[in-house]
Amino acid sequence: MVVRFGARVESVTDTGPAIEARTSSGRERAQYLVAADGARSTVRTSLGLSLRRSVYPTHALRIFTRSPLDELLPGLAPVTYIRDPVQSCSLLRLPDHWRIVLRLVRGEPVPQRVAGLQLSDLNVIGVHRYNLAVGVLGAFHHGRVLFAGDAAHVTSTAGGLNMNAGLHDVVDLGRTLAGVLAGSASSAALARWARRRHAVLIDHVVPASEARVVGVQDGEAARLPAAVAALRAIAADDEATRAYLAKASMLDTNPCE
Ligand SMILES: Cc1cc2nc3c(=O)[nH]c(=O)nc-3n(C[C@H](O)[C@H](O)[C@H](O)COP(=O)(O)OP(=O)(O)OC[C@H]3O[C@@H](n4cnc5c(N)ncnc54)[C@H](O)[C@@H]3O)c2cc1C
């Protein structure tokens, strides 16, 4: 096996019997190509495919601060999700700073207080906004090219669903492709892989991600006490906790062959 670190794929051509890639370090020829090159996939563009996206009315705002949030909020865990009727947020500790991530309806002002903190009192070192969008490629299998991860689908970042889905894409694809290359499965297994993963995105990932985005805008405050009580009940029961974590990791949507 050859690994070319730092080589950039510039274009790909499906010649029928093989797939050819022009890269920054020369030309490569292979039986199959796995396009896991992210949301702006060069491979996708090179094959003339597009990932049509709809942008949500909410966007994410990330605030980077060097203030010690764990000292300002004693007992704060390194990864904390705060559900609050006024402004939910995530607080994440990185090696040299903290991140506060908010979801805001576009056009609405940034709140002054978040998680009991006055934002103007913090040592803010940067602010970054990014749009939340949803889009799924019509098919993940095009001739000898197999699309996985963000190259095949983008969804709201809420709950880590899209990244999780991408990991499941490639674990399943790795097994399937190994079987095809070893001759123990026919190439039809790749088409089945593509349909399987596409169905998981359409039937599970997109609806779950939409439910989280919609919850930010409408009715979350009213539903919050019941949701927190339900989570407490799950956390008090080992069996229910395992089932919840398996679902959150999408292990319940992983129908490998
Ligand atoms: C600001 C931000 C916040 C996010 N927050 C979350 C979150 O909280 N939860 C969550 O689940 N997801 C989140 N995501 C999305 C998450 O990061 C992606 O779903 C995940 O990283 C996708 O993995 P991937 O491997 O498919 O693509 P990528 O992580 O984009 O990796 C693609 C790789 O391909 C390489 N590449 C690209 N083009 C070429 C080329 N032409 N030739 C060779 N190599 C190439 C890139 O260098 C990169 O290494 C966030 C994304 C952003 C931008």
Side-chain angles (χ1 to χ4, degrees):
M1 189 172 84
V2 180
V3 178
R4 298 201 199 289
F5 290 103
R8 188 164 181 80
V9 172
E10 285 157 1
S11 64
V12 300
T13 313
D14 194 336
T15 64
I19 187 86
E20 287 181 1
R22 188 160 55 84
T23 79
S24 51
S25 68
R27 284 184 184 274
E28 306 289 343
R29 196 177 149 83
Q31 229 176 316
Y32 294 101
L33 184 145
V34 176
D37 53 344
R40 294 197 172 90
S41 172
T42 304
V43 176
R44 206 178 56 217
T45 313
S46 177
L47 293 175
L49 303 168
S50 71
L51 184 63
R52 273 196 293 274
R53 296 161 214 228
S54 330
V55 177
Y56 290 113
T58 50
H59 66 263
L61 179 75
R62 297 192 299 168
I63 300 168
F64 310 110
T65 174
R66 287 211 202 278
S67 297
L69 298 194
D70 49 348
E71 289 174 22
L72 298 171
L73 300 171
L76 187 66
V79 178
T80 301
Y81 295 94
I82 296 182
R83 309 303 286 173
D84 182 279
V86 178
Q87 181 61 63
S88 295
C89 66
S90 330
L91 304 173
L92 312 172
R93 189 171 71 194
L94 281 101
D96 62 349
H97 69 277
W98 281 83
R99 284 184 192 179
I100 304 171
V101 186
L102 313 172
R103 279 164 208 278
L104 301 173
V105 176
R106 231 187 309 280
E108 276 191 359
V110 178
Q112 299 300 303
R113 285 185 75 76
V114 174
L117 299 164
Q118 183 70 25
L119 292 182
S120 56
D121 291 344
L122 300 180
N123 174 14
V124 173
I125 54 170
V127 176
H128 174 241
R129 280 173 201 267
Y130 61 96
N131 284 328
L132 302 171
V134 60
V136 180
L137 202 56
F140 293 3
H141 181 205
H142 288 263
R144 296 186 168 276
V145 181
L146 305 142
F147 289 91
D150 277 21
H153 47 80
V154 293
T155 67
S156 146
T157 56
L161 298 173
N162 206 53
M163 190 162 64
N164 251 311
L167 293 171
H168 285 295
D169 291 345
V170 288
V171 169
D172 190 352
L173 179 56
R175 287 192 192 121
T176 307
L177 199 48
V180 172
L181 295 176
S184 59
S186 77
S187 59
L190 293 170
R192 289 197 296 278
W193 164 83
R195 283 198 295 274
R196 196 156 65 231
R197 293 311 305 164
H198 190 267
V200 167
L201 261 292
I202 298 296
D203 298 341
H204 297 277
V205 181
V206 171
S209 135
E210 305 238 299
R212 286 167 186 259
V213 176
V214 168
V216 173
Q217 296 163 271
D218 184 25
E220 181 166 87
R223 289 198 303 271
L224 200 54
V228 171
L231 275 180
R232 285 212 170 100
I234 291 169
D237 177 329
D238 285 351
E239 189 85 355
T241 300
R242 263 193 296 278
Y244 179 88
L245 293 176
K247 197 168 160 52
S249 311
M250 294 186 198
L251 294 172
D252 61 332
T253 61
N254 198 19
C256 295
E257 279 186 354

